[in-house]
Amino acid sequence: MTAMSTKKMWAVVAGVGPGTGASVARTFAKTYTVALLARNPANYEPLVKEIQATGSKAVGISTDTSDGSSVIAAFEKLMSEEGFDGHLAAAVYNVGGKFIRKSFLELSQDEFEMGWQTNGLGGYHFSQAVLPLLLETEKASPQFPPTLIFTSATAAIRGGANFASFATGKFAMRALSQSLAREFGPKSIHVVHAIIDGIIDIERTKEWKVDAPDGKISPQAIADAYWHLHSQPRTSFTYEFDIRPYAERW
Amino acid sequence: MTAMSTKKMWAVVAGVGPGTGASVARTFAKTYTVALLARNPANYEPLVKEIQATGSKAVGISTDTSDGSSVIAAFEKLMSEEGFDGHLAAAVYNVGGKFIRKSFLELSQDEFEMGWQTNGLGGYHFSQAVLPLLLETEKASPQFPPTLIFTSATAAIRGGANFASFATGKFAMRALSQSLAREFGPKSIHVVHAIIDGIIDIERTKEWKVDAPDGKISPQAIADAYWHLHSQPRTSFTYEFDIRPYAERW
Amino acid sequence: MTAMSTKKMWAVVAGVGPGTGASVARTFAKTYTVALLARNPANYEPLVKEIQATGSKAVGISTDTSDGSSVIAAFEKLMSEEGFDGHLAAAVYNVGGKFIRKSFLELSQDEFEMGWQTNGLGGYHFSQAVLPLLLETEKASPQFPPTLIFTSATAAIRGGANFASFATGKFAMRALSQSLAREFGPKSIHVVHAIIDGIIDIERTKEWKVDAPDGKISPQAIADAYWHLHSQPRTSFTYEFDIRPYAERW
Amino acid sequence: MTAMSTKKMWAVVAGVGPGTGASVARTFAKTYTVALLARNPANYEPLVKEIQATGSKAVGISTDTSDGSSVIAAFEKLMSEEGFDGHLAAAVYNVGGKFIRKSFLELSQDEFEMGWQTNGLGGYHFSQAVLPLLLETEKASPQFPPTLIFTSATAAIRGGANFASFATGKFAMRALSQSLAREFGPKSIHVVHAIIDGIIDIERTKEWKVDAPDGKISPQAIADAYWHLHSQPRTSFTYEFDIRPYAERW
């Protein structure tokens, strides 16, 4: 049993907080050992304990995905984990970053670049780290095609006044994921760009008003969708889909 | 038990043939009684028998979805079915129609209009019939939000040389589904536009060559995706997604 | 001089009313003899007189573009016009049709089909009539590549609640124009899809309120854009562009 | 006369080389004094002389648009130019950058970031410099609305295998230009995203083979389109358009 469980494949979730990342981690932890990445350990520590309490294994690694050396160090640590033999079944890039809403002429270079740092450059570092592992896993006849999912937003397809930082970052994330899907899809790697459009229903947003009941997105529903996509056979890959509350205007 | 099963909610699938429609019907028949619509009874009869053999109920109704009176007659027949009390949990419009590939100047008006008849007008008739039932079902606190899914194609987002008939039809289908999603989404009806991009792996396409192994779409994978979408809570609706083989160029 | 002017190439504008069509006709009449098509002669008669008063030639032909035989009759009439030898330099499809805004379940089949009749089927009939002439003209080394322009709308790329009729029509128009651009572009025919997004500034809309000064689209600016596009060499075709007032939200 | 000409408004073109930038500069120099920015003076010096030889004024300023301090220095230099009183009628961002085509796993961080540096960050620096001047110009009742044009590419709407660097940069450029169009459009500033899809016909590409005669884009045709867009009244702004050779597959 122990031998078995240490031989389980792994999934890595970058950007674990109280919302989407945590639900995705819980969901994937039912099948895989999970590695949880976040800049601040406070964001993954309770979740690691929670998952371990269910009898599954989970590890947390402090990582700044916008910093290449931090990502390299995180994956070196991951490689040294007991039970990890390089077989990564799924990787989810869910790093949100700071959301900046500001008139363009008041936007400093640092603020402008934050969108890119998180969504473009961070996506690059994460993809550079996980793709070799996913390709290796593919050779091991995994149950499902190795999967790389990017959590994105409507700002990936629509720029807006005061959104230059976030939109450039999310557009870049979509370009990255399309480029990866077209290069690694034919190698049986499933790359997904998920447009999440609305407020996530978590503790922090409890007081935020929306127009209708059930007007916020369930993080568990996102996790269920990610798992469904991960389970698709390579005959039938979904590249892009959207999730939004029924009452959302779009 | 019998009483219970006759009270089951129903699902209707229009455009049942050997591929997507049949797989969707089988999948939804695990939970719902299914009504199968096709112009030619030969397309649904074996499937009705197959599903009934599993102990589920299924009915077939000969329908020409491009003809309003035929659709009205089909739903009158459905309303008279034992066990159907108007509660429709899901409706799938999967009518393919004849695919015409022809230089524009050789395309007759009848040929040009076929794309519209099947995808635009047929979608209108089907939606007119099912939406009142879906709205009624919504009041009955169903397990999942009532769902209307359109099976579409890449031609819904890209016109091409020699594709004027098919592309105008599929673009119109996408316009219809977007309009319905924006009108009926806020009423808790889940409308989905599914872009299926590739050859469906069925008996008829067995000899069709593709560039790679597993290069054709699994109809069961489509059905699994449709079921997943149907199961989404109203907090988290997917409106549009694509499915294509891993090796497909797009 | 007279001999020369009767040998001028022609342009045809379908859908001539008080707005875009009239401005396009006036603009193209500076270079070409113009044929003006509208269902109701009252829509082109004053314009024919106005253009003739400037010394140019213009003819009006009553045509219902959604009716194939009406379009065929119109072009037979055109072929018999003095001075027309089949050389058509430009064709503009600017037929608006009746705009229907209605909840889907209150939309009759006739109302639903109006969008298609005008934008899809009408576009088919017009294109069938003009493309052979444009192809013939191309052999005659015209100053500019023969051009076919469709006046479209934002509804060509976005469906909306209560817009099922208009949106299906405009989506179909976009599919048609893309298919034609991809088939006839390589034959040096310039096909353009013009997304006009806003209220046209004409007598009929004078009282319509908008949020800002200059908030309505100038029909002459549309005509100038159409002429600019017509003047593009075949090395450098624009297929799609949008026009909207500076203050429009989009 | 001299007084008049020193009072002419200015246009600035960033990214002046032998192709699009030079043609745009020549075209705008017929109406405005032009400032030509390029990293390497060899790229603008012959053009400055050529324009001056026609009796117009032109200045060249060595600038690295991906470096904020270099852009600031360039505009300080511009402000000190005789005859420049801050009235900028048009600004064209035409910086191409190095085009990298490489498998993602062979792409270094520096290579990956080049696309962003040139198209995203460079666009930010340029926009920060020109928008205050364009807004100021708008108050001076210029003949045409002040205009900011971004030269972009098909890679702005489509990522591809081996194109991660270029595509992330161009997607980001599109996000930036959309965000600016939506923020500054209502202030009467005309922001344009130009999708140029094909090989530009210049000396350097003379030997590049294409499938058809006239198969490369004329830089003068791009310049003519830019001028046409600049001349649009604020009632009728084009935000996005494409240019491609008639024979290009798209």
Side-chain angles (χ1 to χ4, degrees), chain A residues 181-182 185-186 188 213-214 216-218 221 224-225 228 233-246 250, chain B residues 181-182 185-186 188 213-214 216-218 221 224-225 228 233-246 250:
Chain A
R182 290 194 163 107
S188 298
D214 297 337
K216 294 172 195 162
I217 300 173
S218 152
D224 291 344
H228 166 71
R234 69 175 182 168
T235 59
S236 313
F237 279 171
T238 289
Y239 163 63
E240 189 167 75
F241 74 109
D242 52 1
I243 287 190
R244 51 175 64 91
Y246 73 110
W250 52 285
Chain B
R182 290 194 163 107
S188 299
D214 296 337
K216 294 173 194 161
I217 300 174
S218 151
D224 291 344
H228 167 71
R234 68 175 183 168
T235 59
S236 312
F237 279 171
T238 289
Y239 163 62
E240 190 166 76
F241 75 108
D242 52 0
I243 288 190
R244 51 175 64 91
Y246 72 110
W250 53 284

Side-chain angles (χ1 to χ4, degrees), chain C residues 83-223:
Chain C
F84 185 65
D85 58 0
H87 285 149
L88 190 65
V92 176
Y93 190 72
N94 184 59
V95 180
K98 202 173 157 188
F99 181 72
I100 294 160
R101 188 169 185 162
K102 233 178 188 183
S103 171
F104 181 73
L105 291 175
E106 290 164 15
L107 197 65
S108 72
Q109 176 177 341
D110 281 355
E111 289 170 328
F112 176 68
E113 290 215 89
M114 275 183 195
W116 165 258
Q117 300 287 345
T118 304
N119 295 287
L121 186 57
Y124 166 85
H125 290 315
F126 187 71
S127 301
Q128 287 285 342
V130 301
L131 278 166
L133 302 178
L134 296 171
L135 286 166
E136 198 58 33
T137 304
E138 206 278 320
K139 296 179 196 159
S141 303
Q143 184 181 6
F144 305 122
T147 303
L148 169 57
I149 301 177
F150 292 93
T151 299
S152 189
T154 299
I157 49 173
R158 181 184 160 85
N162 305 320
F163 278 75
S165 173
F166 191 59
T168 49
K170 287 297 186 191
F171 268 65
M173 173 181 268
R174 188 169 182 243
L176 173 64
S177 67
Q178 265 189 23
S179 299
L180 297 180
R182 289 192 164 107
E183 179 172 353
F184 296 94
K187 300 178 182 187
S188 299
I189 307 301
H190 188 179
V191 180
V192 181
H193 180 252
I195 297 173
I196 310 299
D197 180 18
I199 298 168
I200 308 293
D201 189 12
I202 51 175
E203 196 55 40
R204 186 168 59 86
T205 65
K206 274 284 177 289
E207 300 304 312
W208 299 15
K209 275 195 183 175
V210 290
D211 291 340
D214 296 337
K216 294 173 194 161
I217 300 174
S218 151
Q220 185 56 48
I222 298 174

Side-chain angles (χ1 to χ4, degrees), chain B residues 156-191:
Chain B
I157 49 172
R158 182 183 159 85
N162 304 319
F163 278 74
S165 174
F166 192 59
T168 49
K170 286 298 186 191
F171 268 66
M173 172 180 268
R174 188 169 183 242
L176 174 64
S177 68
Q178 264 189 21
S179 300
L180 297 179
R182 290 194 163 107
E183 180 172 353
F184 295 94
K187 300 178 181 186
S188 299
I189 308 301
H190 187 178
V191 181

